[in-house]
PDB file of all heavy atoms in Angstrom:
ATOM      1  N   SER A 320     -24.474  -1.010   3.952  1.00 90.00           N
ATOM      2  CA  SER A 320     -24.829   0.003   4.945  1.00 90.00           C
ATOM      3  C   SER A 320     -24.089  -0.285   6.244  1.00 90.00           C
ATOM      4  O   SER A 320     -24.143  -1.401   6.756  1.00 90.00           O
ATOM      5  CB  SER A 320     -26.343  -0.018   5.185  1.00 90.00           C
ATOM      6  OG  SER A 320     -26.676   0.572   6.415  1.00 90.00           O
ATOM      7  N   VAL A 321     -23.405   0.726   6.764  1.00 94.00           N
ATOM      8  CA  VAL A 321     -22.648   0.546   8.003  1.00 94.00           C
ATOM      9  C   VAL A 321     -23.576   0.156   9.153  1.00 94.00           C
ATOM     10  O   VAL A 321     -23.257  -0.740   9.944  1.00 94.00           O
ATOM     11  CB  VAL A 321     -21.865   1.827   8.360  1.00 94.00           C
ATOM     12  CG1 VAL A 321     -21.232   1.710   9.741  1.00 94.00           C
ATOM     13  CG2 VAL A 321     -20.803   2.108   7.320  1.00 94.00           C
ATOM     14  N   SER A 322     -24.725   0.796   9.236  1.00 94.00           N
ATOM     15  CA  SER A 322     -25.656   0.500  10.331  1.00 94.00           C
ATOM     16  C   SER A 322     -26.170  -0.941  10.234  1.00 94.00           C
ATOM     17  O   SER A 322     -26.256  -1.645  11.242  1.00 94.00           O
ATOM     18  CB  SER A 322     -26.833   1.478  10.324  1.00 94.00           C
ATOM     19  OG  SER A 322     -27.516   1.437   9.083  1.00 94.00           O
ATOM     20  N   TYR A 323     -26.477  -1.384   9.017  1.00 94.00           N
ATOM     21  CA  TYR A 323     -26.984  -2.748   8.835  1.00 94.00           C
ATOM     22  C   TYR A 323     -25.904  -3.776   9.162  1.00 94.00           C
ATOM     23  O   TYR A 323     -26.129  -4.731   9.911  1.00 94.00           O
ATOM     24  CB  TYR A 323     -27.466  -2.955   7.401  1.00 94.00           C
ATOM     25  CG  TYR A 323     -27.921  -4.373   7.124  1.00 94.00           C
ATOM     26  CD1 TYR A 323     -29.208  -4.787   7.460  1.00 94.00           C
ATOM     27  CD2 TYR A 323     -27.048  -5.306   6.562  1.00 94.00           C
ATOM     28  CE1 TYR A 323     -29.623  -6.092   7.225  1.00 94.00           C
ATOM     29  CE2 TYR A 323     -27.457  -6.620   6.319  1.00 94.00           C
ATOM     30  CZ  TYR A 323     -28.742  -7.003   6.651  1.00 94.00           C
ATOM     31  OH  TYR A 323     -29.147  -8.295   6.426  1.00 94.00           O
ATOM     32  N   LEU A 324     -24.704  -3.579   8.619  1.00 95.00           N
ATOM     33  CA  LEU A 324     -23.616  -4.535   8.838  1.00 95.00           C
ATOM     34  C   LEU A 324     -23.197  -4.579  10.302  1.00 95.00           C
ATOM     35  O   LEU A 324     -22.909  -5.646  10.849  1.00 95.00           O
ATOM     36  CB  LEU A 324     -22.428  -4.171   7.951  1.00 95.00           C
ATOM     37  CG  LEU A 324     -22.649  -4.332   6.440  1.00 95.00           C
ATOM     38  CD1 LEU A 324     -21.466  -3.771   5.669  1.00 95.00           C
ATOM     39  CD2 LEU A 324     -22.880  -5.788   6.076  1.00 95.00           C
ATOM     40  N   SER A 325     -23.190  -3.420  10.946  1.00 95.00           N
ATOM     41  CA  SER A 325     -22.839  -3.371  12.374  1.00 95.00           C
ATOM     42  C   SER A 325     -23.862  -4.119  13.208  1.00 95.00           C
ATOM     43  O   SER A 325     -23.512  -4.845  14.145  1.00 95.00           O
ATOM     44  CB  SER A 325     -22.747  -1.915  12.848  1.00 95.00           C
ATOM     45  OG  SER A 325     -21.707  -1.232  12.182  1.00 95.00           O
ATOM     46  N   GLU A 326     -25.132  -3.952  12.841  1.00 94.00           N
ATOM     47  CA  GLU A 326     -26.194  -4.647  13.575  1.00 94.00           C
ATOM     48  C   GLU A 326     -26.064  -6.161  13.408  1.00 94.00           C
ATOM     49  O   GLU A 326     -26.261  -6.916  14.360  1.00 94.00           O
ATOM     50  CB  GLU A 326     -27.558  -4.160  13.051  1.00 94.00           C
ATOM     51  CG  GLU A 326     -28.763  -4.679  13.850  1.00 94.00           C
ATOM     52  CD  GLU A 326     -29.229  -6.042  13.358  1.00 94.00           C
ATOM     53  OE1 GLU A 326     -29.083  -6.332  12.171  1.00 94.00           O
ATOM     54  OE2 GLU A 326     -29.728  -6.823  14.212  1.00 94.00           O
ATOM     55  N   ARG A 327     -25.702  -6.619  12.194  1.00 93.00           N
ATOM     56  CA  ARG A 327     -25.541  -8.054  11.953  1.00 93.00           C
ATOM     57  C   ARG A 327     -24.393  -8.636  12.763  1.00 93.00           C
ATOM     58  O   ARG A 327     -24.439  -9.785  13.196  1.00 93.00           O
ATOM     59  CB  ARG A 327     -25.303  -8.322  10.465  1.00 93.00           C
ATOM     60  CG  ARG A 327     -26.404  -7.884   9.536  1.00 93.00           C
ATOM     61  CD  ARG A 327     -27.741  -8.500   9.868  1.00 93.00           C
ATOM     62  NE  ARG A 327     -27.834  -9.906   9.498  1.00 93.00           N
ATOM     63  CZ  ARG A 327     -28.850 -10.699   9.814  1.00 93.00           C
ATOM     64  NH1 ARG A 327     -29.841 -10.224  10.538  1.00 93.00           N
ATOM     65  NH2 ARG A 327     -28.864 -11.958   9.438  1.00 93.00           N
ATOM     66  N   LEU A 328     -23.352  -7.838  12.947  1.00 96.00           N
ATOM     67  CA  LEU A 328     -22.171  -8.332  13.671  1.00 96.00           C
ATOM     68  C   LEU A 328     -22.268  -8.142  15.180  1.00 96.00           C
ATOM     69  O   LEU A 328     -21.485  -8.739  15.928  1.00 96.00           O
ATOM     70  CB  LEU A 328     -20.917  -7.619  13.157  1.00 96.00           C
ATOM     71  CG  LEU A 328     -20.482  -7.973  11.729  1.00 96.00           C
ATOM     72  CD1 LEU A 328     -19.375  -7.038  11.263  1.00 96.00           C
ATOM     73  CD2 LEU A 328     -20.006  -9.422  11.645  1.00 96.00           C
ATOM     74  N   SER A 329     -23.199  -7.329  15.627  1.00 96.00           N
ATOM     75  CA  SER A 329     -23.349  -7.079  17.072  1.00 96.00           C
ATOM     76  C   SER A 329     -24.135  -8.225  17.732  1.00 96.00           C
ATOM     77  O   SER A 329     -25.220  -8.039  18.266  1.00 96.00           O
ATOM     78  CB  SER A 329     -24.056  -5.746  17.307  1.00 96.00           C
ATOM     79  OG  SER A 329     -23.302  -4.676  16.787  1.00 96.00           O
ATOM     80  N   VAL A 330     -23.560  -9.410  17.660  1.00 96.00           N
ATOM     81  CA  VAL A 330     -24.243 -10.608  18.163  1.00 96.00           C
ATOM     82  C   VAL A 330     -24.016 -10.781  19.663  1.00 96.00           C
ATOM     83  O   VAL A 330     -23.068 -10.231  20.234  1.00 96.00           O
ATOM     84  CB  VAL A 330     -23.759 -11.865  17.414  1.00 96.00           C
ATOM     85  CG1 VAL A 330     -24.221 -11.830  15.966  1.00 96.00           C
ATOM     86  CG2 VAL A 330     -22.240 -11.991  17.487  1.00 96.00           C
ATOM     87  N   THR A 331     -24.894 -11.557  20.269  1.00 96.00           N
ATOM     88  CA  THR A 331     -24.796 -11.859  21.703  1.00 96.00           C
ATOM     89  C   THR A 331     -24.771 -13.366  21.893  1.00 96.00           C
ATOM     90  O   THR A 331     -25.583 -14.087  21.315  1.00 96.00           O
ATOM     91  CB  THR A 331     -25.997 -11.271  22.469  1.00 96.00           C
ATOM     92  OG1 THR A 331     -26.051  -9.858  22.231  1.00 96.00           O
ATOM     93  CG2 THR A 331     -25.873 -11.522  23.960  1.00 96.00           C
TER      94      THR A 331
END
Side-chain angles (χ1 to χ4, degrees):
S320 159
V321 172
S322 58
Y323 176 83
L324 293 173
S325 296
E326 187 274 329
R327 300 303 286 173
L328 291 171
S329 298
V330 292
T331 303

